[in-house]
């Protein structure tokens, strides 16, 4: 479920198809039947459309490796990881936590950071509506995963970025 929500959220928002991802995410992109992705599992290039890391690393280096509409997805410590969100917000125009539910129905956090595209307003429906063989991801789940309870939103609203205006 985590792999789907990292790869398919990114793949259904990024206009481009050049991605840098961990090896275990490589096959997730084939579930999007209306696009073909240029998948890199080692950092051997620049100008990526999407970079996904299981745990955050050097966010300045990540930022520099992305093109002008690039997206970065990683795993925060929690939906209220103020330090990570604040650091991402220094570089990216949009920084929004989202989540998926594991098999025990526990919410597991992810974060979407972008130089331009918004994860719900800029969803590419001709990709998200044409995803096959998923266990968890749907277009509706994609959109809903960015909806946070008010008490969580209130605790992080000063360190996230909602739009690129």
């Amino acid at each position: 479920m985590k792999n789907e929500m990292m790869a398919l959220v990114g793949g259904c928002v990024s206009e481009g198809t050049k991605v840098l991802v961990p090896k275990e995410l490589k096959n997730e992109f084939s579930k999007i039947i209306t696009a073909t992705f240029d998948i890199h599992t080692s950092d051997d290039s620049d100008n990526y459309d999407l970079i996904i890391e299981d745990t955050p690393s050097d966010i300045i280096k990540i930022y520099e490796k992305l093109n002008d509409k690039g997206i970065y997805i990683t795993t925060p410590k929690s939906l209220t990881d103020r330090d990570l969100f604040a650091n991402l917000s220094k570089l990216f125009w949009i920084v929004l936590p989202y989540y998926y539910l594991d098999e025990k129905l526990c919410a597991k956090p992810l974060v979407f950071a972008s130089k331009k595209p918004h994860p719900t307003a800029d969803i590419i429906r001709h990709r998200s509506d044409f995803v096959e063989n998923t266990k968890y991801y749907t277009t509706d789940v994609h959109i809903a995963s960015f909806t946070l309870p008010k008490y969580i939103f209130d605790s992080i609203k000063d360190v996230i970025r909602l739009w690129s205006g």
Side-chain angles (χ1 to χ4, degrees):
M1 289 185 258
K2 178 180 181 178
N3 289 353
E4 278 186 14
M5 286 301 286
M6 293 180 96
L8 300 180
V9 165
C12 291
V13 175
S14 172
E15 291 177 7
T17 58
K18 185 177 179 184
V19 300
L20 174 62
V21 299
K23 289 178 185 170
E24 61 270 14
L25 269 65
K26 184 176 181 179
N27 293 331
E28 295 296 332
F29 292 90
S30 65
K31 295 176 180 178
I32 303 172
I33 63 170
T34 57
T36 303
F37 289 85
D38 175 16
I39 299 171
H40 299 252
T41 56
S42 62
D43 187 4
D44 56 7
S45 189
D46 284 316
N47 219 22
Y48 293 103
D49 299 298
L50 171 64
I51 296 175
I52 299 175
E53 292 185 304
D54 192 45
T55 55
S57 65
D58 183 342
I59 61 172
I60 293 173
K61 181 180 174 189
I62 295 294
Y63 184 87
E64 291 171 349
K65 289 275 185 182
L66 290 166
N67 66 25
D68 63 343
K69 294 182 182 178
I71 296 168
Y72 174 55
I73 294 175
T74 191
T75 308
K77 294 176 187 169
S78 71
L79 287 171
T80 57
D81 189 343
R82 293 178 56 79
D83 290 340
L84 177 60
F85 302 157
N87 285 330
L88 289 168
S89 291
K90 291 175 186 174
L91 297 170
F92 291 92
W93 281 101
I94 294 173
V95 176
L96 290 173
Y98 67 110
Y99 64 93
Y100 65 96
L101 300 177
D102 67 9
E103 289 85 1
K104 296 179 182 177
L105 301 180
C106 295
K108 300 295 182 178
L110 298 168
V111 64
F112 179 101
S114 167
K115 291 186 176 183
K116 184 166 185 190
H118 188 279
T120 59
D122 295 320
I123 189 170
I124 303 169
R125 296 296 293 249
H126 70 269
R127 287 190 190 170
S128 68
D129 288 343
F130 295 95
V131 172
E132 292 185 341
N133 301 315
T134 63
K135 179 177 180 175
Y136 189 86
Y137 181 91
T138 66
T139 299
D140 291 335
V141 166
H142 175 133
I143 294 167
S145 69
F146 287 91
T147 303
L148 300 174
K150 185 173 182 343
Y151 75 96
I152 292 176
F153 177 78
D154 286 348
S155 72
I156 59 172
K157 65 184 177 186
D158 61 324
V159 293
I160 62 173
R161 297 190 73 179
L162 300 172
W163 54 284
S164 62

